[in-house]
Amino acid sequence: MKLILSTSNIMSGGPSVVRRPFFEKSNTELTSSLRGNFTNHQSESGTNYKSWTTQADRSLYVPTHEPSPLVEPRESYDITVKLFYLPNVPADRRCAQTREAIELVLKELGSKSIDLLIVSFPGMAFDADDEDSDLEDPPSAPQSTSEGCDDTEVPPEDIETMVATWKTLEKLHSEGLVSKLGIAEFGVARLEKFLEHTTVKPSVNQINVRDCCVVPKPLILYAKQQQIELLTHNDCTNILPRGTLRQILGSEENGSGILASESDQDGLKGDVAPQWVVKYTAVVKDRGVVENKGYFAAAELRET
């Protein structure tokens, strides 16, 4: 069974939510928003998961989800989506996963297209102080330089695997679903090798800079030469580890009761494996206001 988890619009909870710090790390924001959304639905519908979730075919939507379409005309917004491909998930699933994630976001926002899609590959890290971070295949690399991220060490993918995934994104671009494409954590050496194989060049390279704003000059010059915009972020690469997901869905303290435990057999039985996470943001252009922001995450329930 597939589980589709959603936070709903995390900007719609009143002033206390709108004033959330924008520097909050994405993994913290994701888990706290999921827990908050689950708790809200449980308080309205009851604690038994069947009362506040919906099953369609082989997918369980956690919680039952109602889209919150944008209120102004589409041209009033900049819509940015970041898709996190997670470790230990076969790369050949990404074509279907990418379309599924984009379709969920488009339905949520009531839009037919997004302006920018950034993809995060597993095992990628950017270190402004370490020239070795640009090597194609170092033995092992930390997934994020953000302190406090619950990451494990995963070797980065080779260029060929990333290029194969990029072909899927280029097709979305050609279909008009995505206006611009972006990547994350690419240094100069990796960018040079990657660009040789692209038809649609990335418009954005999003990097996690540990020391605030110290971007290496060679990367600045190369990005300018290739007309690639450099953006910074504080996202974790492995934004939803398996253990964290198990805690969120489990029947123990702070869990939502989706999964059964030894003492509570009412939930689903089996283990969960995260598949992907997508973050979306819709900004009103002329006011710079974030009107809609949220996350979807997909997981597989595997019977044990």
Side-chain angles (χ1 to χ4, degrees), residues 220-233:
I220 296 175
L221 295 175
Y222 185 74
K224 184 176 181 180
Q225 175 189 343
Q226 297 295 327
Q227 297 182 315
I228 298 174
E229 183 180 6
L230 293 177
L231 301 177
T232 59
H233 71 93

Side-chain angles (χ1 to χ4, degrees), residues 74-304:
R74 170 64 182 87
E75 58 269 19
S76 302
Y77 297 93
D78 272 325
I79 300 176
T80 299
V81 172
K82 186 170 184 179
L83 178 57
F84 299 84
Y85 299 121
L86 300 181
N88 305 314
V89 179
D92 58 10
R93 297 185 183 181
R94 290 180 185 162
C95 179
Q97 290 178 340
T98 302
R99 287 192 173 273
E100 180 181 35
I102 295 300
E103 287 173 3
L104 284 168
V105 172
L106 294 179
K107 183 178 180 180
E108 165 70 16
L109 301 179
S111 175
K112 294 183 179 180
S113 65
I114 63 175
D115 296 297
L116 172 63
L117 171 62
I118 299 172
V119 290
S120 172
F121 294 101
M124 297 285 283
F126 181 85
D127 190 338
D129 299 322
D130 186 2
E131 292 293 333
D132 292 337
S133 65
D134 284 340
L135 294 176
E136 179 177 344
D137 191 18
S140 180
Q143 287 189 303
S144 173
T145 56
S146 292
E147 182 180 355
C149 288
D150 184 11
D151 287 342
T152 56
E153 290 190 355
V154 176
E157 296 181 348
D158 55 37
I159 292 295
E160 289 74 17
T161 301
M162 291 187 284
V163 168
T165 300
W166 191 256
K167 298 303 179 185
T168 294
L169 308 182
E170 290 180 331
K171 188 172 182 180
L172 293 175
H173 179 273
S174 67
E175 294 173 3
L177 291 177
V178 179
S179 298
K180 297 187 297 183
L181 300 174
I183 50 180
E185 318 302 355
F186 275 62
V188 173
R190 189 176 280 121
L191 260 178
E192 289 177 334
K193 295 175 182 178
F194 184 74
L195 294 181
E196 292 176 359
H197 305 283
T198 62
T199 302
V200 179
K201 190 163 59 177
S203 300
V204 166
N205 182 21
Q206 195 182 52
I207 57 176
N208 191 330
V209 182
R210 179 175 53 196
D211 298 324
C212 182
C213 302
V214 182
V215 180
K217 189 174 181 179
L219 178 58
I220 296 175
L221 295 175
Y222 185 74
K224 184 176 181 180
Q225 175 189 343
Q226 297 295 327
Q227 297 182 315
I228 298 174
E229 183 180 6
L230 293 177
L231 301 177
T232 59
H233 71 93
N234 61 353
D235 297 329
C236 295
T237 305
N238 188 11
I239 188 173
L240 188 61
R242 183 186 295 239
T244 300
L245 179 61
R246 180 84 193 183
Q247 291 175 355
I248 294 173
L249 299 179
S251 299
E252 308 302 328
E253 185 178 1
N254 296 324
S256 58
I258 298 292
L259 300 178
S261 66
E262 293 181 1
S263 58
D264 180 7
Q265 296 297 314
D266 291 335
L268 298 172
K269 296 177 177 61
D271 194 16
V272 287
Q275 299 296 297
W276 54 259
V277 173
V278 67
K279 175 172 69 172
Y280 57 90
T281 308
V283 178
V284 184
K285 293 179 183 178
D286 60 357
R287 299 197 301 275
V289 175
V290 180
E291 180 181 303
N292 200 315
K293 179 182 180 181
Y295 296 81
F296 287 100
E300 282 187 355
L301 177 70
R302 299 169 179 172
E303 295 183 2
T304 56

